[in-house]
Amino acid sequence: MDEQSLHHEAAVFAKHINEWRKTHLGQVVLVKGDDVIGFYPSLEQAFREGTLRFGLEPFLVRQIVPTDVVNVSFYGRRMHVA
């Protein structure tokens, strides 16, 4: 799969992410081409729906998260922030 495979899907996500944060925060969106297929409560459910509908064709599954999310990992006594 080349890097352009999900170009339309990524553009749709970027276009709508701010409004989705207000209405679908924490949910997972499934996007195929220019179409928003739906919102799901988990990555597993969204991925399952995508594979049922589209098989091995590429589609985008991404969680709607707040803008201020910080990923933190703990390794012993050190803390790394990504």
Side-chain angles (χ1 to χ4, degrees):
M1 180 183 320
D2 63 53
E3 66 182 64
Q4 294 296 321
S5 294
L6 296 174
H7 175 74
H8 292 293
E9 291 85 349
V12 169
F13 185 86
K15 179 180 179 182
H16 295 287
I17 185 60
N18 289 328
E19 69 185 77
W20 292 342
R21 284 186 176 122
K22 296 174 187 172
T23 57
H24 298 286
L25 190 63
Q27 295 181 330
V28 180
V29 65
L30 170 59
V31 181
K32 174 67 174 159
D34 294 322
D35 299 322
V36 177
I37 306 304
F39 297 91
Y40 302 86
S42 72
L43 288 167
E44 180 183 350
Q45 289 173 319
F47 186 75
R48 186 179 325 127
E49 183 65 23
T51 55
L52 286 172
R53 287 182 181 226
F54 309 114
L56 297 177
E57 294 179 24
F59 54 86
L60 179 75
V61 170
R62 189 172 293 172
Q63 187 174 27
I64 310 299
V65 296
T67 57
D68 57 356
V69 169
V70 175
N71 293 321
V72 178
S73 299
F74 292 98
Y75 297 99
R77 294 182 180 204
R78 297 180 182 169
M79 184 172 84
H80 298 277
V81 178

